[in-house]
Amino acid sequence: MGRPTHLTDADVEQLGAELDALREEVMNSLGKEDARYIYRVLNTQRFSELAGRALLFAGILPPAWLAGTALLSVSKILENMEIGHNAMHGQWDWMQDPALDSATYDWDNTCPGREWKHSHNYMHHTYTNIVGMDRDVGYSILRMSEDQKWHPAFLAQPLYVLVLAAFFQWGVALHDLEWERLGKDKSYAEALSQGRDIWKKVRKQVLKDYVLFPALAGPMAPFVFTGNMAANFNRNVWSFLIIFCGHFTEQAEMFRIEETESETQGEWYLRQMLASSNVNGSVPFHVMTGHLGYQIEHHLFPDMPSNRYREIGPKVQAICERYNLNYNTGPFSRQLGGVAKRILRMALPHRRKRRGPMPSSIHHKQPARA
Amino acid sequence: MKPIIRKALKSSLAESLATPLSVDHYLGLIDSKLSVDEPRGRIAEATRQTPDSVTLTIEPNDNWTRPAPGQHILFGIDLDGVRHRRCFSIAGAPDENSLEITVKRNGDGAVSNFLVDNVEPGQLVYLTHAEGEFYPNASPPARALLLSAGSGITPMMSILRAWIAADELPDVVFMHYARTSADMIYEDALDRLADEQPSLELVKRFTSADGRISADTLDAAVPDLDERMTWLCGPAGFMDSVQPLLDARTTKPVFREQFESSRREAAHGEGEVHFVQSDVAASGDDGSLLEIAEQAGLNPPYGCRMGICHSCKCRVTEGTVRNLRSNEVQDIRDTDIQLCIHAAAGDVAIEL
């Protein structure tokens, strides 16, 4: 693959071995404390959901509506990010608890878990930031890399990125339909059967939040309806922001398919590190992001229980420093600024496609000290 | 749980309000034993009858249905964050409200060692409805032989207690093998029953003094073996040595119960892979289970082929597998694994 020129094959292999050892060490130490952590998150999420929905039934009082919406938003964010996303990665499979089993878990989102495991766990995590393979790059409506061809429609992307943020769960739900492949290497029949699965899930989600709970509230229906809508909106925007900060900051690297042919395990690790970016924050912040503030660690070890990313973060950073690699991290405001800049920059036609070695090899002139 | 509440919680409305989670996920906030349909329980008593066994009395929730004599359950318990599941025979009479099992230490088995050494009342356990055809008869035979060794005594206790509770105890010879008197589970209970019930003849054999079962001891203890229906349960070696003795002496039915599987473990960590649903067998010598399935012409779902996406997760009915990342070898049963990062380390049955 194309990689920083200061690393030799042996360097990359050794980097891979160090990361394998780190993974092994953590995975062998999983136990009671980790189980206690995730059960505490599960209980918090369920309590805040019940309390939020109960308060919305008294939503005619503004403080009750606000508090109810806030609690329901927290519940939906926790469920999607710290529980659902991570359970569907198989992070908690070692516990053998059917409630956290990646094979059967489905999340509170219009995207069916099974579809999402294909587009996210497989396509995005295997082919991270490879233009044309990882459809998370631009979600097939945005231009996020010089390697994507410019078109005048992209001039409006600063506008429709806002629409994507507001309706993010719907974007994710329709994502795996891969409409741009239709009639080419994907049949309409396949898309139709996928569409039916998505519709089944969408129907249940819409029925719950926009019909049944409002109906149960009787005269309070409008308050429950708007509260649920606001909670879904908050969750959409929050997950959009965290996910975009994870891969589309200014320094996050993009790859071309020919750079990643016959990639070794070490090279795969290297690409995950260079393609991902972290966000600094407090422990509650990390819990609310599903620990995707540790996007680099998550991309190296997608099935490691998320609570351990905090512990290995500094170790991964130290490894990056030793190999003279960029460990892309910063406060939320800075990372978000980088994302905004990239969205704006890519809206404009770019002078020429990147050729030759990767940008990170330009940042790092010294040889690896490993 | 009151029937009307259960009905409401099982309704499609409740299900729709809880979607995509289940009602049980929310009931767990009140008490983890609560569930709309899953049998769960708490350990009410833990009694150590012998140094290497423990008898557990479990109070189930009201999803528990009464078992038939001699049945077993899949018993689940959380140890260090991991839910373990093991099969145990029910030892109590079927008409009791609580449920009794006796667990004997089993080598370095994580579950049996924990239960024998450390289990305490109050712990939550996950149950399944009872299964098994060890006692298929609706009514007792005229004469019976209950022949057991070690922890094989537990389903015998259930059958015996069921007969006594129904006041239908036939002429029974209960012959049991333990290493010494101190190792014999249910010795006191059986002594008492033998005193009370004239038609129960108890034959205790202690292998440290009397030796293992032989044709002579069997003939001496049960001269009318050919008139008796036999129930047989114990370790694999015991079962294997008893079966020919019985075959030579009786044509009456013999019912067997055996939990230790007779699975072959290959010396170099290979075995035969059996794909159960498609009824295809393949050698497990080379490659991951995913590759073996594909070479056998099957088409299992897969994604990354490197253990990160979980697309190829599939249920193993029973078998020994090696994790290709950690090289760890594991005996598993009814467990989902990622086919792309596991290889056969013995015979494996996969639901594909």
Side-chain angles (χ1 to χ4, degrees):
Chain A
M1 72 172 217
R3 63 160 188 248
T5 45
H6 69 278
L7 293 183
T8 64
D9 283 349
D11 290 337
V12 176
E13 202 175 306
Q14 198 190 334
L15 171 78
E18 284 190 45
L19 289 167
D20 278 338
L22 183 57
R23 175 195 150 83
E24 188 99 331
E25 188 190 320
V26 174
M27 297 308 253
N28 287 338
S29 69
L30 297 178
K32 214 184 290 181
E33 287 305 312
D34 302 275
R36 190 171 299 156
Y37 169 76
I38 193 64
Y39 285 136
R40 236 171 52 206
V41 175
L42 289 175
N43 279 342
T44 308
Q45 181 261 319
R46 283 154 201 177
F47 265 123
S48 60
E49 178 178 359
L50 291 181
R53 292 194 186 277
L55 279 165
L56 283 176
F57 274 41
I60 196 163
L61 307 167
W65 188 89
L66 282 174
T69 302
L71 281 169
L72 191 56
S73 305
V74 167
S75 153
K76 281 181 177 270
I77 287 170
L78 277 179
E79 196 283 332
N80 271 198
M81 309 213 48
E82 182 64 338
I83 303 168
H85 167 264
N86 294 337
M88 287 192 284
H89 264 298
Q91 292 185 3
W92 303 101
D93 282 4
W94 58 276
M95 291 174 62
Q96 299 280 342
D97 179 346
L100 288 165
D101 182 354
S102 66
T104 54
Y105 194 92
D106 203 355
W107 57 352
D108 183 51
N109 188 296
T110 48
C111 180
R114 210 168 57 90
E115 301 285 328
W116 186 82
K117 275 185 274 182
H118 176 260
S119 65
H120 180 86
N121 284 17
Y122 171 39
M123 296 305 288
H124 169 61
H125 272 272
T126 315
Y127 303 108
T128 314
N129 282 18
I130 300 177
V131 176
M133 294 298 287
D134 176 5
R135 298 180 70 262
D136 283 23
V137 176
Y139 286 80
S140 71
I141 55 169
L142 304 176
R143 181 170 180 259
M144 300 303 289
S145 159
E146 287 90 340
D147 295 334
Q148 284 168 284
K149 208 172 158 237
W150 185 81
H151 183 276
F154 289 122
L155 284 170
Q157 83 174 11
L159 282 180
Y160 51 72
V161 79
L162 299 177
V163 180
L164 177 64
F167 294 96
F168 193 56
Q169 66 164 338
W170 297 90
V172 172
L174 299 174
H175 188 205
D176 204 36
L177 279 177
E178 303 178 300
W179 57 269
E180 73 280 5
R181 279 177 54 209
L182 278 182
K184 295 172 198 156
D185 57 341
K186 181 168 183 165
S187 71
Y188 284 95
E190 191 190 335
L192 197 68
S193 107
Q194 253 184 317
R196 267 196 289 266
D197 287 348
I198 297 171
W199 169 240
K200 259 191 237 164
K201 181 73 194 284
V202 163
R203 203 176 50 197
K204 283 186 190 167
Q205 290 294 123
V206 168
L207 189 71
K208 174 175 81 159
D209 278 344
Y210 298 126
V211 180
L212 294 179
F213 273 109
L216 277 181
M220 296 292 168
F223 303 103
V224 172
F225 186 92
T226 51
N228 289 355
M229 198 152 80
N232 278 325
F233 173 83
N234 292 342
R235 186 268 323 271
N236 284 351
V237 172
W238 177 253
S239 49
F240 167 86
L241 293 176
I242 297 303
I243 287 159
F244 271 60
C245 284
H247 292 292
F248 310 120
T249 54
E250 277 289 86
Q251 285 181 308
E253 312 270 5
M254 296 284 168
F255 298 82
R256 289 193 301 269
I257 188 72
E258 52 291 3
E259 292 173 325
T260 58
E261 273 159 12
S262 64
E263 201 174 47
T264 64
Q265 173 73 22
E267 288 172 325
W268 182 84
Y269 274 138
L270 186 58
R271 176 160 55 83
Q272 301 302 330
M273 284 170 133
L274 298 175
S276 314
S277 40
N278 284 6
V279 183
N280 301 339
S282 61
V283 172
F285 170 84
H286 286 305
V287 174
M288 291 298 279
T289 67
H291 283 89
L292 294 184
Y294 287 101
Q295 189 75 248
I296 298 172
E297 288 71 17
H298 173 59
H299 262 266
L300 292 172
F301 313 116
D303 59 357
M304 178 183 289
S306 56
N307 57 323
R308 296 301 191 96
Y309 294 153
R310 271 182 265 145
E311 160 194 333
I312 64 162
K315 296 181 185 171
V316 172
Q317 185 164 11
I319 292 176
C320 278
E321 277 162 17
R322 260 191 293 119
Y323 286 84
N324 205 7
L325 292 164
N326 182 28
Y327 184 81
N328 185 348
T329 189
F332 194 29
S333 55
R334 192 169 86 209
Q335 299 297 64
L336 196 56
V339 172
K341 247 163 77 192
R342 186 189 277 266
I343 291 170
L344 293 173
R345 192 161 52 87
M346 294 298 158
L348 300 171
H350 204 263
R351 283 179 295 276
R352 59 187 165 83
K353 274 176 92 171
R354 171 170 65 83
R355 300 254 177 252
M358 290 187 16
S360 60
S361 62
I362 302 164
H363 306 159
H364 302 280
K365 295 234 169 61
Q366 301 159 28
R369 272 172 284 146
Chain B
M1 213 185 295
K2 290 210 172 79
I4 184 156
I5 295 176
R6 176 191 308 276
K7 213 173 159 194
L9 292 176
K10 284 183 88 159
S11 68
S12 61
L13 175 65
E15 199 183 301
S16 300
L17 292 174
T19 192
L21 298 182
S22 73
V23 175
D24 280 0
H25 291 133
Y26 296 94
L27 283 177
L29 291 176
I30 305 167
D31 179 356
S32 35
K33 187 173 150 181
L34 288 176
S35 162
V36 290
D37 48 19
E38 205 183 295
R40 296 177 190 170
R42 269 183 209 289
I43 292 172
E45 268 176 66
T47 320
R48 273 98 184 157
Q49 299 189 51
T50 67
D52 65 351
S53 79
V54 62
T55 300
L56 304 177
T57 309
I58 298 164
E59 273 172 4
N61 64 15
D62 46 18
N63 298 319
W64 173 249
T65 50
R66 289 183 177 177
Q71 287 194 310
H72 56 263
I73 49 159
L74 202 56
F75 166 99
I77 190 164
D78 288 346
L79 303 182
D80 289 332
V82 180
R83 185 152 320 157
H84 295 264
R85 293 180 184 81
R86 295 289 185 277
C87 242
F88 293 120
S89 286
I90 299 165
D95 63 342
E96 286 165 9
N97 282 327
S98 58
L99 150 82
E100 179 183 315
I101 60 172
T102 293
V103 179
K104 198 167 183 305
R105 194 188 298 283
N106 172 23
D108 51 5
V111 176
S112 65
N113 281 357
F114 170 81
L115 292 174
V116 171
D117 296 332
N118 296 319
V119 77
E120 278 175 13
Q123 177 138 19
L124 182 74
V125 293
Y126 299 86
L127 307 171
T128 56
H129 291 297
E131 283 179 18
E133 296 283 299
F134 187 40
Y135 185 84
N137 315 50
S139 53
R143 286 157 182 267
L145 166 62
L146 303 180
L147 182 51
S148 60
S151 58
I153 198 168
T154 54
M156 305 299 180
M157 288 306 292
S158 160
I159 293 170
L160 184 68
R161 285 164 163 176
W163 284 335
I164 293 171
D167 207 8
E168 288 181 337
L169 186 67
D171 178 318
V172 181
V173 175
F174 194 132
M175 188 169 182
H176 180 72
Y177 278 79
R179 209 172 59 81
T180 66
S181 169
D183 294 315
M184 182 172 165
I185 312 165
Y186 290 113
E187 186 177 21
D188 296 346
L190 275 174
D191 283 341
R192 221 168 23 246
L193 287 177
D195 285 346
E196 288 163 15
Q197 308 284 344
S199 63
L200 171 63
E201 188 195 339
L202 180 60
V203 185
K204 297 188 275 187
R205 292 273 155 191
F206 300 118
T207 50
S208 60
D210 309 332
R212 291 174 184 274
I213 193 164
S214 66
D216 294 345
T217 48
L218 190 60
D219 285 336
V222 202
D224 56 351
L225 185 59
D226 59 341
E227 290 169 29
R228 292 176 185 273
M229 273 196 199
T230 304
W231 279 265
L232 173 65
C233 185
F238 174 78
M239 307 274 280
D240 290 348
S241 54
V242 171
Q243 190 67 50
L245 300 179
L246 293 176
D247 288 344
R249 283 165 180 75
T250 178
T251 52
K252 290 248 186 195
V254 175
F255 303 104
R256 294 164 56 99
E257 179 90 320
Q258 189 167 12
F259 288 124
E260 277 177 44
S261 80
S262 47
R263 198 171 51 235
R264 178 171 68 94
E265 283 216 22
H268 299 290
E270 303 99 358
E272 182 162 287
V273 183
H274 182 210
F275 298 101
V276 183
Q277 281 165 24
S278 35
D279 200 19
V280 173
S283 153
D285 296 357
D286 281 318
S288 69
L289 292 171
L290 179 62
E291 288 159 356
I292 291 167
E294 287 170 339
Q295 279 152 20
L298 305 177
N299 198 13
Y302 70 87
C304 64
R305 304 183 80 96
M306 57 196 289
I308 61 172
C309 81
H310 294 257
S311 303
C312 63
K313 232 176 139 185
C314 190
R315 178 144 291 215
V316 168
T317 320
E318 189 173 32
T320 312
V321 295
R322 184 172 69 249
N323 184 319
L324 295 169
R325 284 172 154 184
S326 61
N327 247 343
E328 188 190 346
V329 173
Q330 246 190 318
D331 276 342
I332 53 177
R333 189 188 164 103
D334 287 331
T335 305
D336 291 323
I337 60 160
Q338 295 164 273
L339 297 182
C340 69
I341 51 159
H342 283 90
D347 290 349
V348 187
I350 300 176
E351 287 178 21
L352 247 183

